[in-house]
Amino acid sequence: MAIYEYTLKGRKLNDSASPELDRPEDVADYLLANCYDPDEMWREKAFAVYLNSENKILGHFLISAGGTNSTDFDVKLVAKPALELMASAVIISHNHPSGNPLPGKADFDSTQKVKKALALFDVKMLDHIIIGDGKAYSFDMEKTFTLETTQP
């Protein structure tokens, strides 16, 4: 029997290096600075940011990399680091290569799916941020906002 191991690409932080994320704008700035590669915004990528009870970052991981029109939030791949890091909360994110950050039906469906799954482990899903071209959409705020930081 073959045993397969999937290694999540990401970074685990220690508490001293961890910024506090209190606003969706802060989350988007963090994601742009630490997760999204400006040369790869042509393809959708999904990330998860894991937080402790004080909203300090424990780590972030690439959950999936798709094509030009879609990517997937595999609930198991979102939940595994949450449990390993003993996270209190998770923020998920993905980008839209079209530049339009407005969510579609699949985005709403995946948000609810991940939120329900994490709740089984008493892990809150605080937000789902969609990154577009100079703007982002926050499911928590239910609106778009202008990105404060441009990508490096």
Side-chain angles (χ1 to χ4, degrees), residues 31-151:
L31 289 163
L32 287 173
N34 296 283
C35 298
Y36 291 102
D37 179 349
D39 294 331
E40 289 209 5
M41 293 301 277
W42 59 268
R43 73 187 296 195
E44 281 198 26
K45 289 189 176 184
F47 289 90
V49 179
Y50 300 89
L51 304 126
N52 68 15
S53 60
E54 296 175 343
N55 288 344
K56 289 195 173 198
I57 300 170
L58 298 170
H60 65 262
F61 294 92
L62 173 66
I63 301 303
S64 71
T68 57
N69 293 320
S70 67
T71 194
D72 187 36
F73 281 101
D74 184 328
V75 173
K76 290 176 241 162
L77 296 179
V78 176
K80 183 178 188 279
L83 298 173
E84 290 174 348
L85 295 169
M86 299 298 287
S88 296
V90 175
I91 298 169
I92 61 174
S93 174
H94 76 284
N95 66 302
H96 280 175
S98 69
N100 180 356
L102 293 176
K105 181 180 178 340
D107 297 324
F108 283 102
D109 292 346
S110 64
T111 300
Q112 288 307 309
K113 183 179 173 182
V114 172
K115 189 174 197 170
K116 285 178 184 176
L118 291 174
L120 294 173
F121 301 104
D122 293 324
V123 177
K124 294 177 190 171
M125 191 178 97
L126 297 180
D127 206 347
H128 179 175
I129 305 281
I130 300 175
I131 303 290
D133 187 19
K135 291 188 182 256
Y137 180 88
S138 163
F139 277 78
D140 183 51
M141 293 186 344
E142 297 181 348
K143 67 177 187 176
T144 59
F145 57 91
T146 302
L147 295 171
E148 295 175 7
T149 303
T150 56
Q151 287 190 296

